[in-house]
Amino acid sequence: MKRLFSGVKPTGDLHLGNYLGAIKQWVEMQDGYEAIYGIVDYHAMTATYDPKELEEYVFKCCCNYLACGLDPEKSILMIQSQVPLHTELTWFLNCLTPVSWLERVPTFKDKVQQQADNINLGLLDYPVLMAADIIIYKAEVVPVGEDQLPHLELAREIIRRFTSQFGEVFPEPQAIMGKVRRIKGLDGSEKMGKSLNNCIYLYETKEEIWAKISKAVTDPARIKKSDPGNPDICNIFSLHKMLSTQEVQDKVVEGCRGATIGCIECKRWLTDAMDEELSPIREKYFYYMERPEEVSEIFTDGNKKAAALAEQTMQEVYGKIGLKYKFLGKR
Ligand code: AMP
Ligand code: TRP
């Protein structure tokens, strides 16, 4: 089985976009790959953050991983900073990576605009750390969203440099994109995300979901129930396509185009479908939130397994890059 690595940055609570766009695929991929799923807390430090909040988000992210169905019996579940070899390898990769490559990365350019008061070196180095996350496990497959493709391309370029200067250690990883590339938020225009207040969090109750969905943007041309609507341009319908049965989807298309149902009815059905998908996750999330010892045991075990794999790779790397120091004895 091929090795796989992916991770989420713990900068907030996980939402429906994270679930449908990433974690749901990860759960399915557990059977076909030797998967390692990380919570990439070092990456979260590239924006100004509150230390207490970071710890909380990491714990909640652990609970969400388990609640969504990531299974420690099948995959390695780990926290990036608990395998500090990631940063050791990053240092070495830093010395291989021209600054000009990093300055061209689109996410870096975006961040320069978004957080002009904190353009730190970690932000520039972000893709190199990401490359280290992947190659320290010799992962060949990396499921990510579209926005991460330039990072994967850079990782491959860094590996090619490594291989040509020091020899073969790392396979070139391939990005895999899920069926769902980009989920729009409840505003109907921007990508669903925590920063825009346009998302449904995985822990939200049906009442909370309804409160948000009932105010969500629909086909703007449809003002009254008697106006026929166009589901193809309505974000509520695009969510139906990801969550509702074919039967409900057909009812929506017919009712909306024929103006026999109103947006409120359509939104009720969506809320039902969303709650059906999220309620088992929500239940398990609160189960784990109340059992930090159980969560700790699972992730401590995952961290150990990941550290052992990382250590193996690093031994090989030390030999190639001139850090084996035979005169000091066995490293
Ligand atoms: P982030 O929360 O931006 O760190 O994203 C974590 C993972 O969730 C990445 O693989 C993203 O591609 C995915 N993701 C986040 N928001 C969305 C969205 N609105 N649509 C699709 N995928 C998303
Ligand atoms: N940069 C990724 C994101 O923002 C998170 C990430 C860090 C990652 N290291 C990774 C994803 C390694 C895949 C593989 O979503």
Side-chain angles (χ1 to χ4, degrees):
M1 278 205 281
K2 284 190 178 164
R3 181 83 47 81
L4 173 161
F5 184 91
S6 198
V8 163
K9 233 177 10 210
T11 48
D13 290 301
L14 295 191
H15 52 77
L16 190 70
N18 298 129
Y19 178 63
L20 295 177
I23 299 176
K24 198 171 177 186
Q25 276 84 269
W26 297 2
V27 172
E28 287 160 11
M29 292 176 95
Q30 294 186 107
D31 295 314
Y33 296 88
E34 205 181 300
I36 301 162
Y37 294 117
I39 295 170
V40 290
D41 50 349
Y42 283 144
H43 279 105
M45 301 168 99
T46 55
T48 309
Y49 71 97
D50 171 6
K52 251 176 114 178
E53 217 171 58
L54 177 64
E55 285 206 23
E56 265 166 42
Y57 284 144
V58 169
F59 175 64
K60 287 178 173 172
C61 199
C62 290
C63 295
N64 264 317
Y65 272 21
L66 296 168
C68 289
L70 294 181
D71 178 353
E73 300 288 320
K74 295 181 181 171
S75 307
I76 296 180
L77 308 182
M78 55 86 65
I79 299 168
Q80 184 190 32
S81 66
Q82 303 306 295
V83 183
L85 288 173
H86 285 233
T87 40
E88 192 186 341
L89 180 58
T90 300
W91 174 255
F92 178 68
L93 300 182
N94 281 342
C95 300
L96 269 181
T97 309
V99 174
S100 61
W101 289 5
L102 297 172
E103 286 169 336
R104 281 200 295 267
V105 171
T107 47
F108 176 68
K109 291 195 211 156
D110 291 346
K111 291 289 174 189
V112 167
Q113 303 292 327
Q114 290 162 12
Q115 53 182 70
D117 57 337
N118 181 14
I119 308 170
N120 60 77
L121 191 51
L123 220 44
L124 186 65
D125 206 25
Y126 186 107
V128 183
L129 176 58
M130 180 163 161
D133 294 340
I134 299 165
I135 72 177
I136 204 159
Y137 303 110
K138 300 192 181 185
E140 291 176 85
V141 171
V142 186
V144 279
E146 211 167 12
D147 56 330
Q148 301 296 314
L149 294 182
H151 295 166
L152 258 290
E153 192 44 53
L154 198 92
R156 280 194 293 272
E157 284 177 49
I158 297 173
I159 294 173
R160 281 182 217 129
R161 268 214 168 187
F162 182 98
T163 309
S164 77
Q165 289 185 31
F166 301 99
E168 190 109 15
V169 176
F170 303 113
E172 283 186 27
Q174 293 302 317
I176 291 196
M177 284 197 294
K179 290 159 273 187
V180 180
R181 298 259 172 109
R182 184 172 182 272
I183 291 142
K184 278 196 262 177
L186 304 177
D187 51 13
S189 53
E190 301 297 322
K191 181 175 150 175
M192 183 179 284
K194 43 216 159 205
S195 54
L196 291 169
N197 197 20
N198 66 356
C199 65
I200 303 280
Y201 290 108
L202 297 183
Y203 61 75
E204 288 187 296
T205 61
K206 190 166 183 181
E207 289 69 38
E208 289 166 323
I209 295 173
W210 171 246
K212 287 186 173 179
I213 296 284
S214 61
K215 293 195 210 99
V217 174
T218 52
D219 171 2
R222 190 170 192 215
I223 295 157
K224 330 182 272 307
K225 186 175 166 182
S226 55
D227 299 330
N230 180 1
D232 294 335
I233 60 163
C234 181
N235 190 40
I236 297 297
F237 184 61
S238 71
L239 291 167
H240 267 297
K241 283 196 278 194
M242 286 177 257
L243 295 160
S244 296
T245 59
Q246 190 59 48
E247 197 191 333
V248 171
Q249 290 179 41
D250 293 345
K251 258 193 342 189
V252 169
V253 172
E254 210 186 296
C256 179
R257 286 196 198 286
T260 55
I261 61 161
C263 292
I264 287 290
E265 215 163 349
C266 172
K267 285 174 165 184
R268 287 257 180 227
W269 296 338
L270 178 65
T271 303
D272 290 342
M274 209 176 269
D275 183 61
E276 202 168 310
E277 180 97 18
L278 296 186
S279 68
I281 296 177
R282 185 192 320 137
E283 215 169 282
K284 282 191 231 151
Y285 173 72
F286 288 113
Y287 169 95
Y288 286 111
M289 285 288 284
E290 282 163 20
R291 289 166 183 78
E293 302 82 20
E294 202 173 318
V295 177
S296 158
E297 215 171 285
I298 292 169
F299 278 81
T300 305
D301 182 59
N303 293 336
K304 270 193 209 142
K305 287 181 183 152
L309 294 174
E311 178 64 31
Q312 256 178 29
T313 306
M314 287 309 283
Q315 286 304 332
E316 227 180 299
V317 171
Y318 297 140
K320 296 278 190 199
I321 67 177
L323 289 183
K324 199 80 179 175
Y325 297 132
K326 295 210 181 67
F327 78 95
L328 291 175
K330 199 165 179 291
R331 185 167 173 133

